[in-house]
Amino acid sequence: MYSYTSAEKWQRAKLVRKGFHQALADCVDPKLNTRIDAIDRVAAERGQRELNALYAVREKDRQAVATAKATLRTAPWAERSAARQKVRDAEQQLKRSERAVNKAERE
C-alpha cells in the first residue's frame, strides 16, 4: 500500500511527465528514476505504518464485539436491551474497521 501526500503526488507526477518527455527524446536521466523510487519508498513505508494501525484498530474492535457479547450473555434480564444495543454498536464499528482494512489492502 502506498500513501502519498499531496506534495509527493504532485512531484511524482511532474517527474513521470518529465521522464516521459525524455523517453520520447531517447535520453532519460537516471536521476529521475532514483527520485521517483525515493518518493515511492517513503510512501510505501507510510502506507505500511497506516495499514498496521488499521490492523490494530480492527483487532481492538473484534475484542470489543467479543466483550459486548459476553456482557449480553451474563446481563440480568432488565439490562438485556442495553447490552444488545452495545453488541450492535460494536458490530457496526467492526464492520467499518474491516471495510477500511479491505480498502487499504486493495490499494
Side-chain angles (χ1 to χ4, degrees):
M1 177 177 143
Y2 292 95
S3 178
Y4 295 99
T5 63
S6 57
E8 288 172 342
K9 286 180 190 176
W10 180 82
Q11 186 178 17
R12 188 177 187 285
K14 180 180 171 186
L15 292 172
V16 168
R17 219 173 17 256
K18 190 173 185 179
F20 174 73
H21 289 296
Q22 288 181 359
L24 290 176
D26 213 15
C27 59
V28 178
D29 186 9
K31 292 180 183 178
L32 283 177
N33 290 333
T34 304
R35 289 171 61 191
I36 290 172
D37 290 341
I39 291 170
D40 288 344
R41 190 172 35 260
V42 170
E45 290 171 5
R46 185 182 308 111
Q48 188 60 46
R49 282 193 306 271
E50 290 177 7
L51 192 58
N52 290 339
L54 285 171
Y55 287 147
V57 168
R58 182 180 63 181
E59 190 58 38
K60 182 186 69 127
D61 290 341
R62 284 180 177 169
Q63 185 60 41
V65 168
T67 302
K69 285 184 179 182
T71 303
L72 174 63
R73 290 185 182 112
T74 60
W77 185 254
E79 298 173 9
R80 291 270 171 132
S81 65
R84 271 191 224 101
Q85 186 59 43
K86 285 184 181 180
V87 169
R88 283 187 212 113
D89 293 342
E91 287 174 342
Q92 286 176 354
Q93 179 60 37
L94 177 60
K95 284 180 186 179
R96 285 192 295 269
S97 63
E98 285 178 342
R99 273 190 232 120
V101 168
N102 291 339
K103 181 179 176 185
E105 287 177 339
R106 283 191 308 259
E107 291 177 353

